[in-house]
Amino acid sequence: MIPLPILPADGADYPPLSALNDLLFCARRCFLHRVEGVWVENVHTTAGTLDHRRVHQTRDTESATGRTARGLWVTSHRLRLTGVCDLVEFRPGAPEVPFPVEYKRGKRRTWDNDEVQLCAQAMCLEEMLGHAIPSGAIFHVKSKRRREIAFTPDLRERTGETAERLHALLAATTTPPPVVHPKCKQCSVRSVCMPDLLTGASAYRRAVADLFRTS
Amino acid sequence: MDVQLNTLYIVTRGATVRRDHLTLQVVVEQQARLTVPIHQLESVAAFGGVHVTPGAMGLCAESGVAVNFLTESGRLVARVDAPSSGNVLLRREQFRRADDPGARGSVARCLIAGKLHNCRNLLLRAGRESGDAADQGTLSGAAGHLAGAIPNLEADTDADTVRGREGDAARVYFAAFGAMVRVGRGEFTPNGRTRRPPLDRMNALLSFLYALLTHDCTAACAAAGLDPSVGFLHVDRPGRPGLALDLMEEFRPLLADRLALALVNRQQVKASGFEFREGGAVSMDEATRKAVLTAYQQRKREEVTHPYLDQKVPLGRLPFLQARVFARHLRGDLPSYLPCVLKN
């Protein structure tokens, strides 16, 4: 399935939390996807969609160790973001302590964009529920391991900054220029982005010069 | 890397295309003849009396695959597309530029320069392969005429001038076209370019191939988020895919003309496969159409090295790549539209 460009949720024109992740991966990709509506499926994106569908399809549960909610819709008016938490555990206590868990396929990324996304979920939950959330976890589907993340002041600050950058990016009307990077190899929108054409333009320049010549 | 996406052509009268989970199934006389996973498709072309169920159309729309309904001779009748495909900012920029005479002229001259290069290369190639001195003379004369026309385009600032030069070049090119026919020259030499209706066999063959190419270029424009109907060289006319026709110019010699000549010269298409109607109109019979479609699909699978993207790509991908180059030009990433010129 091709996800349509993200529409504002319940009337509020807030971008989704996952856009933070996109932005930290690549600003151009983020703009192409969120503003230009470009989306190309590849193995990585399809598998990610399927993983998430699986998480969201499981019912909410309640047990001795607390209750869990899946596919929880959250919003922060301070960050101007909205999104869905894959899973939130409400750990027993007075009051209960929410513990968000974000599902990610594959191993830990070399660039830590997942942490910002998770932290933004926590900040949304804090704003909605009115109490502090000290930590959460990223669940790596492939290794079935949880990596616990503490929401330090530093990470919170990084999250706030990323949100500001995101709003500025989405308000712009020009597409950020491409940056050629090894991670382009696994990027599904590479064929639309054409980073090699636009940056390593020597062949292009030659062809422009030759267009009105005949040999 | 790009996934090799493709067009599903259905030419069998009475066939039904239906959805089967995430695949399209072609059913003929209650027998499933073909099953294609939707993610392998870029578009569907249904020729003549072919049924496509609403379920199949829904699956196509969800997956960004356009369904085109065409007449048996390949004229587009209707098109089913997702409710919102592509990007409104890009389309707005396309309309803005298409309204600007300066932008129209500068895009038009690039499109035609690309076309003339590819036409000229085809003439030169045929000249090298020809054993006949008179034909060689005709071909090199026409190639020389095109070579003279190309540099003149650089200074052209309006689309009308470009159209005029293109018209002159096309007349010279089609006048020499017959010299590239080596087998069955009596039956297959075109008398210039005739269409609606085509009046000779070669024109009937070319018209059909151009229809296939228009179809692919329309899909390519839509896939790049562009509006296929708003062109730069071709002025707006209801029902005409102006931008697809613009994009198609550079591909006519590469994907249609050369293939038509190969089919005739290798006798894959025979003179007896054509029907003459009252009034002189010529059309192909069903077996010939199928043979042409098969050859066209095969030709699209042949790999070439893209001259400035520096990657090996099947010929059938070129319109899609070039539509993206066009979109990147409109969005301001590239200073001019650069057509794809192939040496071979």
Side-chain angles (χ1 to χ4, degrees), chain B residues 61-331:
Chain B
E62 275 171 21
S63 315
V65 174
V67 182
N68 296 281
F69 293 92
L70 306 105
T71 62
E72 289 195 343
S73 59
R75 188 173 59 79
L76 184 67
V77 177
R79 177 177 167 81
V80 179
D81 218 337
S84 74
S85 60
N87 162 19
V88 65
L89 295 179
L90 177 63
R91 277 202 298 268
R92 213 178 240 287
E93 190 58 39
Q94 180 189 347
F95 298 164
R96 229 179 260 134
R97 297 273 194 106
D99 280 341
D100 169 8
R104 265 211 314 274
S106 72
V107 167
R109 70 179 179 208
C110 293
L111 296 168
I112 294 308
K115 174 184 185 170
L116 298 194
H117 272 290
N118 286 329
C119 284
R120 175 175 173 252
N121 289 339
L122 183 63
L123 292 167
L124 290 173
R125 179 196 166 93
R128 284 194 303 273
E129 286 174 356
S130 168
D132 183 287
D135 287 347
Q136 282 174 350
T138 308
L139 295 170
S140 73
H145 183 92
L146 298 193
I150 290 167
N152 291 334
L153 287 163
E154 190 168 14
D156 287 345
T157 49
D158 86 346
D160 280 337
T161 318
V162 175
R163 275 183 216 112
R165 286 197 210 283
E166 198 271 330
D168 290 342
R171 261 190 302 281
V172 172
Y173 174 73
F174 277 109
F177 203 87
M180 296 193 276
V181 178
R182 292 199 303 269
V183 179
R185 193 167 274 193
E187 288 102 357
F188 281 107
T189 299
N191 182 18
R193 171 86 183 109
T194 59
R195 59 204 189 103
R196 287 177 212 187
L199 297 175
D200 56 64
R201 292 183 179 85
M202 185 58 89
N203 270 298
L205 181 53
L206 286 174
S207 284
F208 186 66
L209 285 168
Y210 290 160
L212 298 179
L213 193 52
T214 309
H215 171 266
D216 284 350
C217 289
T218 305
C221 291
L226 297 160
D227 186 329
S229 56
V230 177
F232 288 68
L233 179 69
H234 293 84
V235 292
D236 293 355
R237 200 163 297 164
R240 179 156 86 173
L243 187 67
L245 295 173
D246 284 0
L247 180 65
M248 183 172 145
E249 292 296 351
E250 68 201 78
F251 299 113
R252 285 172 194 265
L254 297 177
L255 278 160
D257 300 358
R258 195 178 147 187
L259 180 61
L261 289 163
L263 284 166
V264 169
N265 288 338
R266 290 189 209 129
Q267 300 181 59
Q268 285 167 282
V269 161
K270 300 260 166 56
S272 57
F274 292 77
E275 293 156 6
F276 285 77
R277 304 267 169 80
E278 300 283 329
V282 182
S283 62
M284 297 185 285
D285 63 23
E286 185 168 327
T288 306
R289 273 193 294 131
K290 276 191 179 166
V292 174
L293 271 171
T294 310
Y296 180 70
Q297 283 296 81
Q298 251 164 24
R299 172 85 176 131
K300 286 203 299 187
R301 281 195 285 271
E302 282 173 33
E303 288 208 331
V304 292
T305 303
H306 191 286
Y308 56 90
L309 293 176
D310 231 13
Q311 49 179 286
K312 272 202 138 183
V313 285
L315 277 169
R317 289 293 313 164
L318 288 180
F320 290 86
L321 285 172
Q322 290 301 119
R324 283 173 192 158
V325 170
F326 197 85
R328 296 268 65 106
H329 164 56
L330 288 181
R331 296 287 295 154

Side-chain angles (χ1 to χ4, degrees), chain A residues 1-2 4 28 31-32 35-36 173 175 191-194 197-198 203-204 207-208 210-215, chain B residues 2 62-63 87 89 109 113 117 120 147 150-151 153-154 308-309 321 324 328 331 333-334 336 338-339:
Chain A
M1 281 336 86
I2 296 183
L4 293 168
R28 182 174 167 87
F31 189 92
L32 287 172
V35 182
E36 291 204 30
T173 49
T175 316
S191 57
V192 182
C193 171
M194 304 182 139
L197 169 64
L198 304 180
Y204 181 82
V208 170
D210 287 347
L211 185 58
F212 298 104
R213 316 265 167 283
T214 48
S215 46
Chain B
D2 261 334
E62 275 171 21
S63 315
N87 162 19
L89 295 179
R109 70 179 179 208
H117 272 290
R120 175 175 173 252
I150 290 167
L153 287 163
E154 190 168 14
Y308 56 90
L309 293 176
L321 285 172
R324 283 173 192 158
R328 296 268 65 106
R331 296 287 295 154
D333 286 344
L334 295 168
S336 60
L338 191 51

Side-chain angles (χ1 to χ4, degrees), chain A residues 18 67-68 86 96 112 179 204:
Chain A
S18 55
R67 52 191 188 89
T68 61
D86 288 339
E96 288 177 320
D112 277 335
V179 184
Y204 181 82

Side-chain angles (χ1 to χ4, degrees), chain B residues 20-32:
Chain B
D20 181 20
H21 297 91
L22 289 178
T23 68
L24 290 184
Q25 203 173 59
V26 183
V27 181
V28 181
E29 287 162 4
Q30 290 166 2
Q31 294 250 315

